[in-house]
Amino acid sequence: MSLLRLFSHKAPLFKAAAKQSYLWKNTSMKAFSTTGALLHGKSDISRGEGPYTVHFITPEGETIDVKATEGDTMLDLAQRYDIDLECACEGSLACSTCHVICDQEYFDRMEEPSDEENDMLDLAFGLTDTSRLGCQIEMNQDLDGITVRIPSATRNLRVDGSKPTHH
């Protein structure tokens, strides 16, 4: 998605945030925003909406079933449903922190990962043959019922400042 398209699609949200910021600074009215993050997910979709189902399995083994719409990414869904899936780069394909592990059956139905995604996956903690980045898996009818597992840890070289050591 181009930056121009991203920001023009989210323009109403930016306008609302700017107005709220102005009111906070320039009036005695003090309130906290209940709107979602400006750059994540679809603003017009609520929890529980959508024809598709996704099963998230947390690192602790808890299964969380959520509803999804066409084009939702696993990252969009995790953020919409407050599932702890890290995203250091905010979905810009510049880290591996939204790494998820897919069931083989559904992994085989997905398009091949791009070279950029494979490069980031090489940095992921606990990489498997069915690993993908959550920001790159878009829901569609073929993926209805998918189960994705969230690994027990993430690796973010930009934050950690470390590089893997080879023995």
Side-chain angles (χ1 to χ4, degrees):
M1 175 179 286
S2 74
L3 278 176
L4 179 59
R5 192 168 133 217
L6 174 69
F7 287 111
S8 63
H9 176 69
K10 301 292 184 185
L13 291 174
F14 284 110
K15 186 176 179 181
K19 180 179 178 183
Q20 198 167 41
S21 175
Y22 173 82
L23 289 173
W24 181 271
K25 292 176 186 171
N26 299 307
T27 69
S28 61
M29 185 175 104
K30 304 291 185 210
F32 291 96
S33 172
T34 57
T35 56
L38 293 178
L39 298 177
H40 296 293
K42 299 176 182 176
S43 60
D44 55 337
I45 304 294
S46 299
R47 288 183 182 191
E49 289 185 22
Y52 308 130
T53 301
V54 175
H55 311 285
F56 283 91
I57 299 178
T58 68
E60 298 77 32
E62 178 186 3
T63 300
I64 303 171
D65 298 336
V66 303
K67 294 307 240 174
T69 60
E70 187 81 21
D72 280 336
T73 66
M74 297 302 109
L75 181 59
D76 292 338
L77 295 171
Q79 291 171 342
R80 184 177 308 143
Y81 289 90
D82 296 323
I83 297 169
D84 193 17
L85 180 61
E86 191 175 342
C87 179
C89 75
E90 299 188 11
S92 66
L93 199 52
C95 75
S96 64
T97 58
C98 68
H99 167 225
V100 295
I101 301 167
C102 306
D103 284 349
Q104 185 72 51
E105 172 189 356
Y106 289 95
F107 182 84
D108 293 340
R109 297 179 192 178
M110 297 177 199
E111 291 184 27
E112 290 289 318
S114 67
D115 290 342
E116 294 83 4
E117 181 179 359
N118 278 325
D119 289 345
M120 289 297 108
L121 280 169
D122 286 342
L123 305 173
F125 176 85
L127 188 65
T128 72
D129 289 341
T130 61
S131 289
R132 292 294 302 264
L133 296 181
C135 66
Q136 299 300 301
I137 304 171
E138 290 189 3
M139 275 307 294
N140 59 54
Q141 186 174 4
D142 291 340
L143 298 182
D144 186 25
I146 188 173
T147 297
V148 294
R149 288 171 180 74
I150 301 171
S152 61
T154 62
R155 180 180 298 137
N156 183 5
L157 298 181
R158 294 168 86 183
V159 173
D160 298 341
S162 61
K163 295 184 180 180
T165 56
H166 301 285
H167 293 93

